[in-house]
Amino acid sequence: MRRTKAEALETRQRILCAAEQIFYEKGVAETTLEDVARAAGVTRGAIYWHFANKTELLLALHDLVPLPQEDMTEEALTLDHVKQRCLEWLRVISTDERRQRIYAILLRCEYSDEMAGILQRQQALDEEAREMLCRAFANAQQRGHLAPGWSPDVASRCFMWMVKGLYFDWLRYGMKFDLVAEGEKCLAQLFGGFGACRT
């Protein structure tokens, strides 16, 4: 009997949910597609119908939750907007358990061999976001709102490294501090140092 599109979609979602849970509990390297099939209640053939391999399955999970750099858009070309978007994102991740699990999976994944493509994708997204941030800091500099001594390149890198370090540590060490409260304090200090409260 042929499966309907709805049945195929439902099976795909079951596989993704199972992979998310197993990858989170065991790690990507220690998880086999057989583990995922068992947890999803499907055959390995069903997994191969939807995903060619474990890398493709992890990429599909990656697509479910945008990384912070993917949430940055061209509209975020004023520094006030950049700061507000960052705070909004910290609020989202602090309450969205699916994002928390998938970010933790991506953080703990070993990016060697077949997984190297995922790391390359993240690096490309980072570079795209950093270019947008550079434009935001360059605009602030042209308006005289970026303190002397800061270049758009260095300011954008400091911002990205601070934000990534903040949520990486929050995930890595068991969410033991208030991500939003600490994020607000860190951003206030950083943007105060930029001299960029006005845009």
Side-chain angles (χ1 to χ4, degrees):
M1 188 170 90
R2 293 180 61 188
R3 291 183 304 168
T4 66
K5 280 187 178 180
E7 288 170 332
L9 183 59
E10 192 271 335
T11 298
R12 187 177 192 276
Q13 290 306 315
R14 280 174 44 206
I15 292 167
L16 285 170
C17 287
E20 178 187 325
Q21 200 59 48
I22 301 294
F23 286 166
Y24 183 71
E25 290 169 4
K26 292 180 65 173
V28 176
E30 297 300 315
T31 299
T32 66
L33 290 180
E34 184 63 42
D35 294 331
V36 175
R38 195 176 309 111
V42 300
T43 65
R44 280 186 65 180
I47 292 192
Y48 286 120
W49 174 264
H50 294 280
F51 307 101
N53 50 42
K54 194 160 52 170
T55 303
E56 210 173 273
L57 184 51
L58 185 58
L59 276 170
L61 282 177
H62 187 292
D63 289 339
L64 289 177
V65 289
L67 294 168
Q69 59 268 46
E70 291 174 273
D71 281 341
M72 194 65 65
T73 63
E74 283 293 345
E75 68 189 26
L77 284 180
T78 68
L79 294 189
D80 279 343
H81 195 103
V82 168
K83 184 179 175 185
Q84 289 311 309
R85 288 297 299 273
C86 183
L87 286 170
E88 288 166 20
W89 183 82
L90 291 175
R91 289 184 190 104
V92 169
I93 190 178
S94 71
T95 57
D96 186 334
E97 292 182 8
R98 167 163 260 188
R99 280 195 190 222
Q100 293 165 12
R101 281 191 298 273
I102 294 176
Y103 290 164
I105 290 164
L106 295 170
L107 175 61
R108 297 188 309 231
C109 185
E110 293 180 13
Y111 293 104
S112 57
D113 301 326
E114 77 264 33
M115 297 296 170
I118 296 172
L119 185 62
Q120 290 168 353
R121 180 178 177 181
Q122 289 178 16
Q123 288 171 330
L125 290 168
D126 271 358
E127 189 54 34
E128 189 178 313
R130 202 182 66 74
E131 287 172 6
M132 279 190 274
L133 286 167
C134 269
R135 289 195 289 278
F137 281 105
N139 287 343
Q141 188 177 52
Q142 288 168 0
R143 294 184 178 111
H145 298 160
L146 187 62
W150 283 106
S151 70
D153 180 66
V154 172
S156 64
R157 289 181 191 279
C158 285
F159 171 74
M160 286 187 71
W161 290 336
M162 190 276 289
V163 173
K164 288 168 81 173
L166 182 68
Y167 81 84
F168 278 9
D169 277 0
W170 185 71
L171 289 169
R172 185 182 289 123
Y173 300 124
M175 307 174 199
K176 294 191 188 285
F177 60 88
D178 186 326
L179 181 65
V180 176
E182 293 302 316
E184 283 181 323
K185 286 191 279 189
C186 289
L187 286 168
Q189 289 293 319
L190 185 63
F191 278 74
F194 291 149
C197 295
R198 299 169 302 122
T199 54

